[in-house]
Amino acid sequence: MSQSENLSGAGPVLVPILGDQLTRGLASLAGRAKDDTVVLLMEVWDEATYVKHHQQKIALIFSAMRHFAAELEQDGWTVDYTRLTDPDNAGSFTGEVARAVERHDPREIDIVEAGEWRVQQAIEEWPDKFVCPVTIHPDDRFLCSIGEFRDWAEGRKTLQMEYFYREMRRKTGILMAGDQPEGGQWNYDYDNRGKPDKNLNPPPAPKFAPDAVTSEVMGLVAERFGDHFGKLDNFAWPVTRAQAEQARAAFLTERLPDFGTYQDAMVHGSDDLYHSLLSTSINLGLLDPVETCKLAEEEYYAGRAPINAVEGFIRQIIGWREYIRGMYWLEMPGLREANALEAVRPLPEFYWTGETDMRCMADCVRSTRDHAHAHHIQRLMVLGNFALIAGIRPQEVEDWFLVVYADAYEWVELPNVAAMALWADKGRLATKPYAASGNYINSMSDYCGKCVYSPAKKSGDGACPFGPLYWNFLIRNRPLLERNNRVSRVYSNWDRMDETKREEYLASAEKILAGLVPASEGWARG
Ligand code: FAD
Ligand code: DLZ
Ligand code: SF4
């Protein structure tokens, strides 16, 4: 029956809140009367299994949802919370909203747009499915709306993040001196290439021991999702806004000053370095991104953190994060199928097991398995880079990244993986592929010294696999990449190389590729 043929219900307004919308000031709650509203939170099977998320990721989301529901109730809201184990749980957002409509007879449903295209498609069908009117609010937790980003992108030849970021600086006034950037430069990335140093001693990020709510959820996850990737027992994520604020405060005082300098460094066994580890809290809605940037800005004006650190951190949030989200909505649904480099090789098994002699790769997979986290350069220049130069099919790599990180939602994972790491969008996001040999990893990490391979050995036994694969990648994609003036120079280097050396590179690459064992079925999807 269509909406127009029906009178809507006589009950309160129903406000469904999704698992990554855990924000008190959410647009669907703002200005609403508590005694006239039912807030609905839903643990549903479909969301927990559309890919087989890391066990810590499911525990984090369920625990944060349960804590958020309890806080809303304490504040006087009426909350209807459906647990995964409720016998009548319909298993999907639409099914659970339908059941809630029967329970509450709402006169209206108010929801904030979903982060993910897949979920948004389902929500957009609700006005035809339900008797009462459905209002879908823009998600104002982002600085730049989907429409604003579209306007910004329209008619531009290149969609470089840097220009978008300057707009966001102007819009917020963050690190601005009038209409000029603070310190005279928009971007201090040049100062952010510090190499790892033996004496680095970053203060560890706070760990949050599971409380009763998290422990109960961990039991549920172990029972229902024990076959999913990842270790569960060392769960230490912030699950409430108060904990997330504590984690943020510790970052701002203890690690922000060195964040910029060591942003690109990688150290074996050291998973956090000077990174904030705030992505899970920001993406869940526990921390406000702009507020977080303003607090970082205060550290600069108080003289407690240098400009390269503060600008670098702020750029990640109001620059990259907003830009990535804008690109997602600009490029979907096609981005999910994009494969400009026609990469078809299956994902190697070691992405799941960590069983490889490549020391960099093994360490990144270990961190991912144990903590549902790896930092940006590990994701981009080790895990993503290998997949790019080995020609792994983008959709398999995307599934992997969506499964394994506690901060992964498709809106942020997909552009980072498909466009930034794999260049599957043919350079709409990144002007050139982030392909690199072992020399880059060697210069930015302490991985190579104790590796069985050596980046100094260029081909044959004992050569770092990243070297031959790098050249194989460039030669394989020469017709497409040679025209790119940021890449063309490396082809001149190749052409000048001794022919025997070139043949050795290519033969080594073939051997490495032939030795990759494809992942067994069932890791990412059931
Ligand atoms: P910090 O290094 O402390 O950075 C501060 C904040 O900036 C982060 O918390 C995050 O909110 C934001 N940020 C930084 N870089 C990015 C970026 N490229 N895109 C969006 N936000 C950014 N981030 C996710 O949140 N979810 C993902 O699923 C995800 N997948 C990624 C996949 C690949 C291949 C790559 C290269 C990057 C991915 N990122 C993703 C971005 C980035 O790696 C993580 O946000 C970051 O590692 C989180 O750790 P942190 O909080 O310590 O970040
Ligand atoms: C990722 C996830 C998982 C594992 N489970 C749930 C859930 O049971 N209920 C819920 O509301 N959200 C969950 N999520 C997050 C959703 O997938 C997320 O809100 C959407 O991806 C946003 O579009
Ligand atoms: Fe990784 Fe190569 Fe270095 Fe080994 S030598 S750690 S494989 S970059």
Side-chain angles (χ1 to χ4, degrees):
M1 246 182 280
S2 80
Q3 186 189 309
S4 54
E5 291 164 17
N6 286 278
L7 291 172
S8 54
V13 174
L14 182 68
V15 177
I17 295 186
L18 305 179
D20 58 355
Q21 298 181 338
L22 309 182
T23 310
R24 303 250 190 115
L26 203 65
S28 52
L29 287 179
R32 191 156 301 297
K34 289 179 181 167
D35 59 1
D36 185 34
T37 305
V38 171
V39 176
L40 176 69
L41 283 113
M42 307 157 272
E43 289 173 12
V44 290
W45 189 257
D46 283 4
E47 293 306 308
T49 57
Y50 72 94
V51 289
K52 293 170 79 176
H53 308 280
H54 192 299
Q55 297 184 45
Q56 282 191 38
K57 180 180 177 187
I58 304 180
L60 168 64
I61 293 172
F62 284 8
S63 175
M65 285 172 66
R66 291 183 186 192
H67 279 100
F68 183 70
E71 284 172 17
L72 287 181
E73 273 176 336
Q74 259 171 15
D75 280 359
W77 294 95
T78 302
V79 179
D80 185 354
Y81 191 100
T82 54
R83 290 193 172 205
L84 192 81
T85 46
D86 288 349
D88 297 327
N89 190 319
S92 68
F93 286 142
T94 301
E96 275 308 287
V97 171
R99 287 203 319 128
V101 166
E102 281 184 20
R103 283 196 296 275
H104 303 291
D105 190 26
R107 64 171 192 287
E108 188 182 327
I109 299 173
D110 263 31
I111 184 158
V112 168
E113 65 192 353
E116 298 190 352
W117 195 85
R118 173 185 64 82
V119 179
Q120 183 63 13
Q121 294 302 106
I123 292 174
E124 282 173 12
E125 289 178 10
W126 290 359
D128 292 329
K129 281 204 157 73
F130 300 122
V131 170
C132 58
V134 177
T135 302
I136 306 175
H137 299 262
D139 191 346
D140 60 11
R141 298 172 305 165
F142 288 92
L143 192 54
C144 179
S145 73
I146 295 168
E148 253 177 284
F149 190 87
R150 226 173 261 286
D151 291 345
W152 174 80
E154 202 171 288
R156 281 176 187 262
K157 263 206 208 128
T158 61
L159 301 178
Q160 280 182 35
M161 194 288 295
E162 181 63 28
Y163 298 108
F164 169 79
Y165 165 56
R166 292 179 190 179
E167 298 283 313
M168 295 301 106
R169 289 271 295 276
R170 289 192 186 97
K171 184 170 179 176
T172 54
I174 294 177
L175 284 186
M176 294 297 292
D179 61 356
Q180 292 304 307
E182 188 62 54
Q185 264 172 249
W186 288 103
N187 182 319
Y188 290 82
D189 218 15
Y190 189 76
D191 299 326
N192 290 351
R193 310 256 158 90
K195 304 199 184 317
D197 174 325
K198 270 203 284 297
N199 304 320
L200 281 188
N201 192 15
K207 307 259 180 273
F208 299 90
D211 62 5
V213 174
T214 305
S215 298
E216 187 185 1
V217 159
M218 286 169 70
L220 172 74
V221 171
E223 188 192 318
R224 301 287 168 110
F225 309 106
D227 63 331
H228 287 205
F229 174 76
K231 272 200 182 157
L232 181 59
D233 49 13
N234 40 6
F235 185 100
W237 293 106
V239 292
T240 62
R241 186 173 62 159
Q243 289 181 342
E245 284 174 350
Q246 193 188 326
R248 179 172 66 188
F251 166 71
L252 292 172
T253 52
E254 296 167 10
R255 279 167 290 137
L256 175 64
D258 289 310
F259 171 87
T261 306
Y262 298 110
Q263 203 177 336
D264 289 357
M266 296 179 279
V267 175
H268 190 269
S270 178
D271 302 333
D272 316 339
L273 289 175
Y274 295 92
H275 292 272
S276 71
L277 260 72
L278 295 179
S279 55
T280 58
S281 301
I282 297 175
N283 293 350
L284 282 169
L286 302 179
L287 292 181
D288 181 69
V290 172
E291 180 191 53
T292 302
C293 290
K294 290 193 169 151
L295 290 170
E297 184 191 31
E298 273 176 38
E299 295 301 298
Y300 168 67
Y301 287 122
R304 292 188 290 260
I307 187 91
N308 68 309
V310 173
E311 186 281 319
F313 179 70
I314 285 169
R315 175 161 25 93
Q316 304 313 312
I317 297 182
I318 62 169
W320 278 110
R321 186 172 183 274
E322 293 283 335
Y323 170 81
I324 286 284
R325 192 254 188 167
M327 287 299 279
Y328 175 74
W329 286 99
L330 193 67
E331 307 289 78
M332 280 300 279
L335 189 57
R336 182 83 181 110
E337 305 311 320
N339 190 359
L341 300 176
E342 297 176 5
V344 293
R345 201 170 297 281
L347 187 79
E349 180 82 348
F350 61 67
Y351 273 80
W352 298 108
T353 62
E355 286 167 16
T356 165
D357 286 337
M358 290 183 281
R359 193 163 180 262
C360 54
M361 183 64 81
D363 190 54
C364 293
V365 176
R366 177 205 49 76
S367 170
T368 304
R369 182 196 59 223
D370 291 358
H371 305 296
H373 187 82
H375 65 72
H376 187 72
I377 290 299
Q378 295 175 314
R379 295 188 205 195
L380 184 63
M381 299 311 294
V382 178
L383 298 155
N385 180 24
F386 188 92
L388 170 73
I389 61 182
I392 312 298
R393 199 168 78 87
Q395 288 69 28
E396 292 193 36
V397 186
E398 290 152 19
D399 275 359
W400 185 83
F401 273 95
L402 189 57
V403 165
V404 301
Y405 292 116
D407 59 20
Y409 301 87
E410 193 187 69
W411 69 263
V412 54
E413 167 272 327
L414 186 57
N416 270 302
V417 177
M420 192 187 305
L422 302 180
W423 217 71
D425 66 342
K426 212 174 174 179
R428 291 264 292 166
L429 185 146
T431 47
K432 76 178 181 70
Y434 281 96
S437 71
N439 292 339
Y440 174 84
I441 298 174
N442 194 23
S443 72
M444 296 312 298
S445 78
D446 69 350
Y447 286 140
C448 303
K450 291 187 184 155
C451 184
V452 300
Y453 301 113
S454 162
K457 187 150 192 298
K458 300 299 176 196
S459 57
D461 289 345
C464 167
F466 283 84
L469 291 180
Y470 169 74
W471 285 114
N472 176 285
F473 164 81
L474 286 169
I475 299 313
R476 211 170 58 231
N477 294 297
R478 187 164 188 163
L480 189 62
L481 297 181
E482 197 170 25
R483 282 177 273 141
N484 181 324
N485 59 16
R486 295 199 59 205
V487 189
S488 54
R489 199 169 40 87
V490 292
Y491 288 104
S492 318
N493 296 342
W494 174 259
D495 292 338
R496 277 198 303 272
M497 215 184 274
D498 177 75
E499 196 169 339
T500 322
K501 201 169 165 191
R502 283 189 289 182
E503 281 167 7
E504 280 169 7
Y505 267 129
L506 297 182
S508 281
E510 288 307 329
K511 203 168 156 197
I512 295 161
L513 291 172
L516 295 177
V517 177
S520 33
E521 298 277 308
W523 280 105
R525 292 183 188 259

PDB file of all heavy atoms in Angstrom, residues 18-20 42-44 47-48 53 61-62 65 93 114-116 118-119, ligand 2:
ATOM      1  N   LEU A  18      21.616   4.306  13.406  1.00  0.00           N
ATOM      2  CA  LEU A  18      22.470   3.205  12.948  1.00  0.00           C
ATOM      3  C   LEU A  18      23.737   3.129  13.803  1.00  0.00           C
ATOM      4  O   LEU A  18      24.104   4.084  14.495  1.00  0.00           O
ATOM      5  CB  LEU A  18      22.840   3.420  11.473  1.00  0.00           C
ATOM      6  CG  LEU A  18      21.647   3.595  10.520  1.00  0.00           C
ATOM      7  CD1 LEU A  18      22.141   3.817   9.084  1.00  0.00           C
ATOM      8  CD2 LEU A  18      20.715   2.397  10.577  1.00  0.00           C
ATOM      9  N   GLY A  19      24.407   1.998  13.678  1.00  0.00           N
ATOM     10  CA  GLY A  19      25.541   1.707  14.553  1.00  0.00           C
ATOM     11  C   GLY A  19      26.706   2.667  14.456  1.00  0.00           C
ATOM     12  O   GLY A  19      27.542   2.724  15.367  1.00  0.00           O
ATOM     13  N   ASP A  20      26.804   3.437  13.362  1.00  0.00           N
ATOM     14  CA  ASP A  20      27.880   4.430  13.277  1.00  0.00           C
ATOM     15  C   ASP A  20      27.311   5.859  13.385  1.00  0.00           C
ATOM     16  O   ASP A  20      27.889   6.803  12.873  1.00  0.00           O
ATOM     17  CB  ASP A  20      28.692   4.255  11.985  1.00  0.00           C
ATOM     18  CG  ASP A  20      27.835   4.362  10.740  1.00  0.00           C
ATOM     19  OD1 ASP A  20      26.600   4.485  10.864  1.00  0.00           O
ATOM     20  OD2 ASP A  20      28.398   4.338   9.630  1.00  0.00           O
ATOM     21  N   MET A  42      19.396  -1.082  16.533  1.00  0.00           N
ATOM     22  CA  MET A  42      19.153  -2.464  16.083  1.00  0.00           C
ATOM     23  C   MET A  42      20.458  -3.209  15.857  1.00  0.00           C
ATOM     24  O   MET A  42      21.254  -2.826  15.011  1.00  0.00           O
ATOM     25  CB  MET A  42      18.407  -2.422  14.731  1.00  0.00           C
ATOM     26  CG  MET A  42      17.164  -1.604  14.717  1.00  0.00           C
ATOM     27  SD  MET A  42      16.748  -1.054  13.017  1.00  0.00           S
ATOM     28  CE  MET A  42      17.671   0.474  12.875  1.00  0.00           C
ATOM     29  N   GLU A  43      20.642  -4.287  16.609  1.00  0.00           N
ATOM     30  CA  GLU A  43      21.723  -5.220  16.270  1.00  0.00           C
ATOM     31  C   GLU A  43      21.122  -6.197  15.265  1.00  0.00           C
ATOM     32  O   GLU A  43      20.116  -6.844  15.584  1.00  0.00           O
ATOM     33  CB  GLU A  43      22.171  -5.994  17.514  1.00  0.00           C
ATOM     34  CG  GLU A  43      22.919  -5.145  18.521  1.00  0.00           C
ATOM     35  CD  GLU A  43      23.202  -5.915  19.825  1.00  0.00           C
ATOM     36  OE1 GLU A  43      23.034  -7.156  19.868  1.00  0.00           O
ATOM     37  OE2 GLU A  43      23.579  -5.252  20.802  1.00  0.00           O
ATOM     38  N   VAL A  44      21.686  -6.255  14.079  1.00  0.00           N
ATOM     39  CA  VAL A  44      21.073  -7.126  13.066  1.00  0.00           C
ATOM     40  C   VAL A  44      22.106  -8.013  12.373  1.00  0.00           C
ATOM     41  O   VAL A  44      23.235  -7.600  12.126  1.00  0.00           O
ATOM     42  CB  VAL A  44      20.272  -6.317  12.000  1.00  0.00           C
ATOM     43  CG1 VAL A  44      19.021  -5.714  12.606  1.00  0.00           C
ATOM     44  CG2 VAL A  44      21.112  -5.261  11.337  1.00  0.00           C
ATOM     45  N   GLU A  47      23.965  -6.858   9.008  1.00  0.00           N
ATOM     46  CA  GLU A  47      25.089  -5.913   9.111  1.00  0.00           C
ATOM     47  C   GLU A  47      26.333  -6.603   9.650  1.00  0.00           C
ATOM     48  O   GLU A  47      27.449  -6.262   9.279  1.00  0.00           O
ATOM     49  CB  GLU A  47      24.716  -4.729  10.014  1.00  0.00           C
ATOM     50  CG  GLU A  47      23.646  -3.843   9.433  1.00  0.00           C
ATOM     51  CD  GLU A  47      23.977  -3.343   8.029  1.00  0.00           C
ATOM     52  OE1 GLU A  47      25.070  -2.795   7.838  1.00  0.00           O
ATOM     53  OE2 GLU A  47      23.135  -3.516   7.122  1.00  0.00           O
ATOM     54  N   ALA A  48      26.122  -7.579  10.522  1.00  0.00           N
ATOM     55  CA  ALA A  48      27.281  -8.257  11.116  1.00  0.00           C
ATOM     56  C   ALA A  48      27.913  -9.257  10.163  1.00  0.00           C
ATOM     57  O   ALA A  48      29.046  -9.682  10.380  1.00  0.00           O
ATOM     58  CB  ALA A  48      26.862  -8.956  12.408  1.00  0.00           C
ATOM     59  N   HIS A  53      33.179  -9.398   9.273  1.00  0.00           N
ATOM     60  CA  HIS A  53      34.001  -8.412   9.987  1.00  0.00           C
ATOM     61  C   HIS A  53      34.896  -9.055  11.040  1.00  0.00           C
ATOM     62  O   HIS A  53      34.491 -10.041  11.692  1.00  0.00           O
ATOM     63  CB  HIS A  53      33.115  -7.412  10.743  1.00  0.00           C
ATOM     64  CG  HIS A  53      32.059  -6.748   9.921  1.00  0.00           C
ATOM     65  ND1 HIS A  53      32.304  -5.680   9.099  1.00  0.00           N
ATOM     66  CD2 HIS A  53      30.726  -6.978   9.820  1.00  0.00           C
ATOM     67  CE1 HIS A  53      31.185  -5.281   8.536  1.00  0.00           C
ATOM     68  NE2 HIS A  53      30.214  -6.057   8.941  1.00  0.00           N
ATOM     69  N   ILE A  61      31.332  -2.285  17.848  1.00  0.00           N
ATOM     70  CA  ILE A  61      30.087  -1.613  17.428  1.00  0.00           C
ATOM     71  C   ILE A  61      28.933  -1.980  18.365  1.00  0.00           C
ATOM     72  O   ILE A  61      28.195  -1.097  18.822  1.00  0.00           O
ATOM     73  CB  ILE A  61      29.778  -1.933  15.950  1.00  0.00           C
ATOM     74  CG1 ILE A  61      30.858  -1.290  15.073  1.00  0.00           C
ATOM     75  CG2 ILE A  61      28.394  -1.444  15.548  1.00  0.00           C
ATOM     76  CD1 ILE A  61      30.816  -1.669  13.623  1.00  0.00           C
ATOM     77  N   PHE A  62      28.810  -3.248  18.693  1.00  0.00           N
ATOM     78  CA  PHE A  62      27.706  -3.645  19.588  1.00  0.00           C
ATOM     79  C   PHE A  62      27.884  -3.021  20.983  1.00  0.00           C
ATOM     80  O   PHE A  62      26.926  -2.553  21.586  1.00  0.00           O
ATOM     81  CB  PHE A  62      27.625  -5.172  19.713  1.00  0.00           C
ATOM     82  CG  PHE A  62      27.026  -5.868  18.514  1.00  0.00           C
ATOM     83  CD1 PHE A  62      26.744  -5.186  17.342  1.00  0.00           C
ATOM     84  CD2 PHE A  62      26.727  -7.226  18.565  1.00  0.00           C
ATOM     85  CE1 PHE A  62      26.196  -5.841  16.235  1.00  0.00           C
ATOM     86  CE2 PHE A  62      26.170  -7.888  17.472  1.00  0.00           C
ATOM     87  CZ  PHE A  62      25.918  -7.195  16.307  1.00  0.00           C
ATOM     88  N   MET A  65      27.112   0.650  20.795  1.00  0.00           N
ATOM     89  CA  MET A  65      25.660   0.847  20.641  1.00  0.00           C
ATOM     90  C   MET A  65      24.952   0.662  21.982  1.00  0.00           C
ATOM     91  O   MET A  65      24.078   1.448  22.356  1.00  0.00           O
ATOM     92  CB  MET A  65      25.088  -0.159  19.624  1.00  0.00           C
ATOM     93  CG  MET A  65      25.402   0.166  18.174  1.00  0.00           C
ATOM     94  SD  MET A  65      24.900  -1.183  17.047  1.00  0.00           S
ATOM     95  CE  MET A  65      23.117  -1.171  17.212  1.00  0.00           C
ATOM     96  N   PHE A  93      17.896  -4.005   8.843  1.00  0.00           N
ATOM     97  CA  PHE A  93      17.390  -2.701   9.303  1.00  0.00           C
ATOM     98  C   PHE A  93      15.919  -2.540   8.908  1.00  0.00           C
ATOM     99  O   PHE A  93      15.076  -2.161   9.729  1.00  0.00           O
ATOM    100  CB  PHE A  93      18.200  -1.561   8.676  1.00  0.00           C
ATOM    101  CG  PHE A  93      19.584  -1.391   9.258  1.00  0.00           C
ATOM    102  CD1 PHE A  93      20.668  -1.057   8.442  1.00  0.00           C
ATOM    103  CD2 PHE A  93      19.825  -1.527  10.617  1.00  0.00           C
ATOM    104  CE1 PHE A  93      21.944  -0.869   8.969  1.00  0.00           C
ATOM    105  CE2 PHE A  93      21.098  -1.350  11.149  1.00  0.00           C
ATOM    106  CZ  PHE A  93      22.156  -1.018  10.322  1.00  0.00           C
ATOM    107  N   ALA A 114      22.391   7.237   5.654  1.00  0.00           N
ATOM    108  CA  ALA A 114      23.382   6.215   6.028  1.00  0.00           C
ATOM    109  C   ALA A 114      24.750   6.576   5.475  1.00  0.00           C
ATOM    110  O   ALA A 114      24.866   7.263   4.453  1.00  0.00           O
ATOM    111  CB  ALA A 114      22.949   4.861   5.493  1.00  0.00           C
ATOM    112  N   GLY A 115      25.763   6.061   6.144  1.00  0.00           N
ATOM    113  CA  GLY A 115      27.132   6.269   5.651  1.00  0.00           C
ATOM    114  C   GLY A 115      27.398   5.490   4.380  1.00  0.00           C
ATOM    115  O   GLY A 115      28.162   5.920   3.522  1.00  0.00           O
ATOM    116  N   GLU A 116      26.749   4.338   4.267  1.00  0.00           N
ATOM    117  CA  GLU A 116      27.055   3.453   3.150  1.00  0.00           C
ATOM    118  C   GLU A 116      25.951   3.446   2.107  1.00  0.00           C
ATOM    119  O   GLU A 116      24.761   3.420   2.451  1.00  0.00           O
ATOM    120  CB  GLU A 116      27.253   2.009   3.656  1.00  0.00           C
ATOM    121  CG  GLU A 116      28.408   1.888   4.613  1.00  0.00           C
ATOM    122  CD  GLU A 116      28.783   0.449   4.934  1.00  0.00           C
ATOM    123  OE1 GLU A 116      28.037  -0.468   4.529  1.00  0.00           O
ATOM    124  OE2 GLU A 116      29.802   0.236   5.570  1.00  0.00           O
ATOM    125  N   ARG A 118      24.911   1.075   0.135  1.00  0.00           N
ATOM    126  CA  ARG A 118      24.074  -0.124   0.280  1.00  0.00           C
ATOM    127  C   ARG A 118      22.922   0.114   1.257  1.00  0.00           C
ATOM    128  O   ARG A 118      21.766  -0.192   0.970  1.00  0.00           O
ATOM    129  CB  ARG A 118      25.019  -1.226   0.797  1.00  0.00           C
ATOM    130  CG  ARG A 118      24.483  -2.526   1.211  1.00  0.00           C
ATOM    131  CD  ARG A 118      25.647  -3.372   1.793  1.00  0.00           C
ATOM    132  NE  ARG A 118      26.226  -2.795   3.001  1.00  0.00           N
ATOM    133  CZ  ARG A 118      25.729  -2.930   4.215  1.00  0.00           C
ATOM    134  NH1 ARG A 118      24.652  -3.642   4.395  1.00  0.00           N
ATOM    135  NH2 ARG A 118      26.305  -2.351   5.257  1.00  0.00           N
ATOM    136  N   VAL A 119      23.227   0.710   2.410  1.00  0.00           N
ATOM    137  CA  VAL A 119      22.209   0.922   3.441  1.00  0.00           C
ATOM    138  C   VAL A 119      21.286   2.075   3.018  1.00  0.00           C
ATOM    139  O   VAL A 119      20.063   2.021   3.201  1.00  0.00           O
ATOM    140  CB  VAL A 119      22.869   1.211   4.803  1.00  0.00           C
ATOM    141  CG1 VAL A 119      21.826   1.464   5.876  1.00  0.00           C
ATOM    142  CG2 VAL A 119      23.784   0.052   5.212  1.00  0.00           C
TER     143      VAL A 119
HETATM  144  C1  DLZ B   2      29.292  -2.715  10.913  1.00  0.00           C
HETATM  145  C2  DLZ B   2      28.040  -2.930  11.689  1.00  0.00           C
HETATM  146  C3  DLZ B   2      27.786  -4.146  12.308  1.00  0.00           C
HETATM  147  C4  DLZ B   2      28.805  -5.211  12.346  1.00  0.00           C
HETATM  148  N1  DLZ B   2      26.630  -4.383  12.929  1.00  0.00           N
HETATM  149  C5  DLZ B   2      25.691  -3.419  13.009  1.00  0.00           C
HETATM  150  C6  DLZ B   2      24.439  -3.643  13.637  1.00  0.00           C
HETATM  151  O1  DLZ B   2      24.106  -4.719  14.074  1.00  0.00           O
HETATM  152  N2  DLZ B   2      23.591  -2.594  13.736  1.00  0.00           N
HETATM  153  C7  DLZ B   2      23.876  -1.386  13.242  1.00  0.00           C
HETATM  154  O2  DLZ B   2      23.079  -0.459  13.401  1.00  0.00           O
HETATM  155  N3  DLZ B   2      25.023  -1.167  12.585  1.00  0.00           N
HETATM  156  C8  DLZ B   2      25.930  -2.152  12.459  1.00  0.00           C
HETATM  157  N4  DLZ B   2      27.094  -1.936  11.780  1.00  0.00           N
HETATM  158  C9  DLZ B   2      27.319  -0.632  11.195  1.00  0.00           C
HETATM  159  C10 DLZ B   2      26.449  -0.462   9.974  1.00  0.00           C
HETATM  160  O3  DLZ B   2      26.858  -1.364   9.001  1.00  0.00           O
HETATM  161  C11 DLZ B   2      26.570   1.006   9.559  1.00  0.00           C
HETATM  162  O4  DLZ B   2      25.754   1.785  10.351  1.00  0.00           O
HETATM  163  C12 DLZ B   2      26.224   1.240   8.184  1.00  0.00           C
HETATM  164  O5  DLZ B   2      27.235   0.638   7.464  1.00  0.00           O
HETATM  165  C13 DLZ B   2      26.145   2.687   7.796  1.00  0.00           C
HETATM  166  O6  DLZ B   2      25.643   2.804   6.524  1.00  0.00           O
END
